[in-house]
Amino acid sequence: MAEQLTGLAGDRALLGRTSTAERVSDILRSRIAEGYFPPGTRLSEDSIGGALGVSRNTLREAFRLLTHERLLVHELNRGVFVRVLTVEDVEDIYRTRSLVECAVVRGLGAPPYRLGGLVAAVEEGRTASAENDWKGLGTANIHFHRELVSLAGSERTDELMRSVFAELRLAFHVVDDPRRLHEPYLVRNAQILQELQAGNPRGAERLLETYLADSLERVVEVYRRRVGEEPSGSS
């Protein structure tokens, strides 16, 4: 915890003079997404408040916001912890992803589309892969899907999926073989991009549907093994 707090103290400058619970929650959300505070970690009010130089009330409000986003959980008489997802949580995250991401692609109008963010995310993934940075590849993959959602041009959809992707990262941090989890989707991201560059959103949607179904199966298989959950209906 000492190492995490030392790094967190460096984020104090991000708060500036207008420190708010929202800005504190932004910092903590990013740190959680990066795996800085892994699932199951207890977050100390005194230690984190001291590292960031914020009041207990401000920090508690930030914790409340992140609990509402399902990134943290408050346990009575124990404190606040980074949430550990269940397999059912993971399945629901993918259900939401499929509903939203496929609808975004399906709803695209006539080309051309603003694909610069997708191109950058694919290149980010290729760079991470070349450097054997498999967690970085997972981050690039999230960036690809975030940019895909942004094609809808909807701030509300972006905000919804920001929370969904942050939850998804909680599952990724439990996985012990990020290369096996993320590497197959680098090529598939590029294929979806190629369909959109060709002005074929229907083809992109078909690829995306299969992609998300395969990803769900892979993540649940690995996640269930890591958290020790039995398949539904098992005795």
Side-chain angles (χ1 to χ4, degrees):
M1 177 63 75
E3 181 180 350
Q4 288 96 325
L5 293 174
T6 299
L8 195 62
D11 288 330
R12 184 185 297 194
L14 299 176
L15 298 174
R17 295 182 179 179
T18 57
S19 175
T20 65
E22 287 81 6
R23 295 187 71 177
V24 173
S25 68
D26 286 343
I27 289 172
L28 294 178
R29 184 188 303 107
S30 295
R31 290 296 190 170
I32 291 168
E34 293 165 2
Y36 198 75
F37 297 114
T41 301
R42 181 180 180 276
L43 302 184
S44 165
E45 286 185 4
D46 291 339
S47 298
I48 292 177
L52 289 175
V54 298
S55 71
R56 185 181 296 264
N57 286 340
T58 296
L59 188 60
R60 285 179 176 175
E61 176 63 12
F63 283 173
R64 187 191 67 79
L65 292 171
L66 295 177
T67 299
H68 181 70
E69 294 180 21
R70 294 179 295 276
L71 297 180
L72 302 180
V73 60
H74 180 267
E75 297 186 11
L76 188 63
N77 298 324
R78 295 193 64 219
V80 175
F81 295 79
V82 179
R83 190 156 170 251
V84 178
L85 302 182
T86 65
V87 169
E88 287 73 20
D89 289 326
V90 175
E91 290 171 339
D92 193 41
I93 287 169
Y94 271 87
R95 188 178 305 115
T96 303
R97 290 187 66 191
S98 182
L99 287 170
V100 174
E101 293 186 49
C102 291
V104 167
V105 175
R106 190 182 314 121
L108 291 175
Y113 312 118
R114 294 185 176 182
L115 302 177
L118 290 176
V119 171
V122 168
E123 288 304 315
E124 178 187 358
R126 287 171 176 160
T127 298
S129 178
E131 296 174 353
N132 294 323
D133 179 6
W134 308 117
K135 288 188 177 180
L137 179 56
T139 297
N141 191 35
I142 292 291
H143 289 168
F144 178 88
H145 289 274
R146 187 177 66 193
E147 293 295 336
L148 189 68
V149 169
S150 75
L151 293 177
S154 167
E155 292 183 4
R156 291 173 179 82
T157 304
D158 290 344
E159 183 176 353
L160 165 67
M161 295 306 292
R162 180 189 68 172
S163 177
V164 170
F165 289 139
E167 277 194 88
L168 182 62
R169 294 293 290 270
L170 293 181
F172 288 171
H173 292 317
V174 174
V175 173
D176 59 352
D177 188 356
R179 178 176 184 173
R180 180 174 179 268
L181 184 66
H182 301 304
E183 190 174 33
Y185 300 99
L186 178 58
V187 171
R188 297 174 80 164
N189 286 345
Q191 291 171 340
I192 291 171
L193 173 60
Q194 288 168 3
E195 291 292 336
L196 293 175
Q197 288 172 325
N200 184 17
R202 288 188 177 182
E205 184 187 359
R206 286 193 293 270
L207 290 175
L208 182 60
E209 286 177 342
T210 304
Y211 177 125
L212 291 174
D214 291 347
S215 181
L216 170 60
E217 183 178 357
R218 180 182 294 264
V219 172
V220 166
E221 173 195 355
V222 175
Y223 194 78
R224 179 174 280 126
R225 185 169 64 248
R226 289 291 292 168
V227 301
E229 288 192 26
E230 295 294 332
S232 299
S234 297
S235 56

